[in-house]
Amino acid sequence: MKMDKQLKSKKRVADHGEVFTNEREVNAMLDLVKQETERIDSRFLEPACGNGNFLAEVIRRKLSVVDERYKNNQNDWERYAVIAISSIYGVDILEDNAQECRERLFDIFDKYYTLLFKNKCREECRRSIRFLLEKNILWGDALDFCNPITKEPIVFSEWSAVNGSMLKRRDYVFRFLVEQSHQFSLFNDEGQAAAIDEPVKEYPLIHFLKLGEDDSN
Ligand SMILES: C[S@@+](CC[C@H](N)C(=O)[O-])C[C@H]1O[C@@H](n2cnc3c(N)ncnc32)[C@H](O)[C@@H]1O
């Protein structure tokens, strides 16, 4: 049976509502927030991302801006490309979709990178991008905020640029970011409302080309 680009199988449509948005609609919707899609560090979350139709277009738009501004300086181009990728997030309940999404976004990045810098491209930069996509595009249920099998809570990393080339990573529990009402139901040891927007983990500053270099970051 011939399937269209928007469907993988009837079963997946029935089980998970998996119908992909076509490119024209994606662009029309993103044009509603055009300025944000062209801001290199604007944060986007696609909460049922499939293979990343919206994120793919956001990345293309951001990287076009990075190209325009920094094509003559490889270090700056890489630094801003890392910032562009570090600010996009996705979740999907199907593990293969999350994986496909990561690979697709990496391939988009790599096409831009290779076209511009050819054999001067650095493997450290590619490793950093892969690492960011591992952390930002997650396999999880966006309704109960947990991994569908392990039931571990979904944790997202916030990445902030510090002093040019360094990155600060802070991890947050996705549920708390979404359900502001939790703010009133959580209490610390003194019976005070606990700050829910506190990170569950903070990491030392790291150079943007060193992400994924070892297990500690
Ligand atoms: C309608 S498709 C949309 C995919 C993509 N956002 C797009 O517009 O092309 C819905 C996606 O949501 C995923 N999904 C369904 N229920 C989900 C849930 N509870 N949490 C996260 N993802 C879910 C499916 O696996 C599927 O990939």
Side-chain angles (χ1 to χ4, degrees), residues 12 15-22 26 46-54 91-94 97 140-144:
R12 288 170 70 112
D15 290 350
H16 300 289
E18 189 192 60
V19 179
F20 298 114
T21 311
N22 75 36
V26 167
E46 192 173 351
C49 63
N51 61 5
N53 281 327
F54 284 87
V91 191
D92 200 279
I93 200 166
L94 294 176
N97 278 350
D141 185 332
L143 295 179
D144 75 359

Side-chain angles (χ1 to χ4, degrees), residues 33-51:
V33 288
K34 191 164 188 294
Q35 235 182 327
E36 285 302 302
T37 63
E38 292 169 352
R39 188 161 66 80
I40 294 169
D41 61 351
S42 61
R43 291 197 173 95
F44 277 83
L45 165 68
E46 192 173 351
C49 63
N51 61 5

Side-chain angles (χ1 to χ4, degrees), residues 107-172:
D107 288 346
I108 293 171
F109 157 82
D110 206 38
K111 268 206 186 99
Y112 275 81
Y113 190 36
T114 310
L115 190 66
L116 207 49
F117 299 111
K118 305 193 169 60
N119 60 2
K120 291 203 210 93
C121 290
R122 300 191 273 193
E123 282 312 309
E124 299 98 298
C125 185
R126 293 194 172 107
R127 184 192 57 211
S128 286
I129 297 292
R130 281 202 189 89
F131 184 80
L132 287 168
L133 292 170
E134 275 303 314
K135 300 297 166 202
N136 284 16
I137 310 296
L138 298 179
W139 171 34
D141 185 332
L143 295 179
D144 75 359
F145 309 104
C146 293
N147 177 285
I149 303 296
T150 66
K151 295 296 167 193
E152 289 285 311
I154 300 171
V155 172
F156 275 123
S157 300
E158 174 196 58
W159 307 92
S160 321
V162 179
N163 296 336
S165 293
M166 304 302 280
L167 287 177
K168 178 75 184 169
R169 173 179 169 193
R170 293 185 185 88
D171 287 353
Y172 291 88

